[in-house]
Amino acid sequence: MDAKRRLLDAEIEALEEAVDLEARFGRWKPEALVELSIRRFAGGVAAVSSFGADSAVLLNMIAGIDRSLPVLFLDTGKHFGETLDYRDRLIEDLGLTNLRIVRPLESALARGDPDGSLHGRDPDACCAIRKVEPMARAVGPYRAWFTGRKRFQSDTRRALPVFEAVGPRIRINPLAAWGTAELAGYMRSHDLRENPLVAYGYL
């Protein structure tokens, strides 16, 4: 069997698994979804976090189950210093022990964005170098990964499932059904550290 056929079979298998998981567990509460997924994909699941406004919610749920779960942070080289500081403080708060920082390839930056100004000329090309390729590389070793995406965030996410197939892998969105009230309530009830940029209007 050639590589292309194996990849196609893996993608079909992931799609079938995502549909099955969504039908059986898609309405579960976020904490239960996180626990189920960590157990189901044991050793083959990570979390992707931007350490943005409400990232602490999902990370706190994960920390309550497995503090050694890999947490992938994409350092594009364009983050505010406040976010980088917040990342380190939140990791310490929650006792997470496996932060993995992913960066763009130096060779790609040298070739496509040597002076760091590509985002102003060609945002899509900039994203390809600083986001798309590094993130694909980051999740490559895993069968599944968590995100903090939610349905209320945009029109394109209104029908966002909890479990979705992305190529041969499963993307898990435990907070898909939550809105701002649930997120704020969870942050308050667990006394979670807030990204300082929120106070400056960065939502």
Side-chain angles (χ1 to χ4, degrees):
M1 185 183 298
D2 62 20
K4 189 176 292 187
R5 179 65 193 180
R6 286 196 298 271
L7 177 59
L8 179 58
D9 287 347
E11 291 177 349
I12 292 171
E13 183 178 333
L15 179 59
E16 291 173 346
E17 185 174 14
V19 169
D20 177 63
L21 289 170
E22 183 68 17
R24 294 166 61 195
F25 309 114
R27 295 184 181 275
W28 280 23
K29 292 182 179 179
E31 294 95 328
L33 288 165
V34 170
E35 184 172 6
L36 166 80
S37 300
I38 289 176
R39 290 182 176 176
R40 183 181 182 93
F41 298 104
V45 62
V48 171
S49 181
S50 66
F51 289 86
D54 51 43
S55 294
V57 172
L58 178 57
L59 291 176
N60 187 67
M61 292 178 183
I62 290 169
I65 300 163
D66 183 1
R67 292 182 176 179
S68 68
L69 190 98
V71 176
L72 312 177
F73 173 72
L74 176 55
D75 187 348
T76 63
K78 298 293 183 181
H79 286 291
F80 289 109
E82 289 90 340
T83 293
L84 301 179
D85 182 60
Y86 174 68
R87 176 198 66 196
D88 296 340
R89 290 175 180 270
L90 185 61
I91 286 288
E92 184 176 354
D93 288 349
L94 301 178
L96 293 163
T97 62
N98 198 358
L99 175 66
R100 301 187 181 187
I101 299 173
V102 185
R103 295 182 173 88
L105 295 172
E106 289 296 335
S107 58
L109 290 174
R111 183 172 57 252
D113 192 14
D115 63 357
S117 66
L118 183 61
H119 64 281
R121 304 188 309 276
D122 190 340
D124 289 343
C126 179
C127 283
I129 293 171
R130 293 184 181 272
K131 295 182 179 180
V132 177
E133 186 283 328
M135 189 51 61
R137 180 163 30 93
V139 301
Y142 303 98
R143 287 187 59 216
W145 77 94
F146 292 108
T147 82
R149 299 187 312 153
K150 304 154 200 84
R151 292 172 188 146
F152 78 86
Q153 290 174 321
S154 70
D155 288 342
T156 58
R157 293 184 181 176
R158 283 186 180 176
L160 181 72
V162 171
F163 298 96
E164 56 182 334
V166 180
R169 298 174 183 82
I170 306 291
R171 184 161 54 196
I172 309 162
N173 310 301
L175 304 175
W178 272 20
T180 54
E182 290 93 342
L183 293 164
Y186 188 96
M187 291 281 291
R188 286 194 304 271
S189 65
H190 291 82
D191 194 26
L192 296 176
R193 185 186 298 271
E194 187 176 75
N195 188 310
L197 292 173
V198 172
Y200 295 99
Y202 291 90
L203 302 178

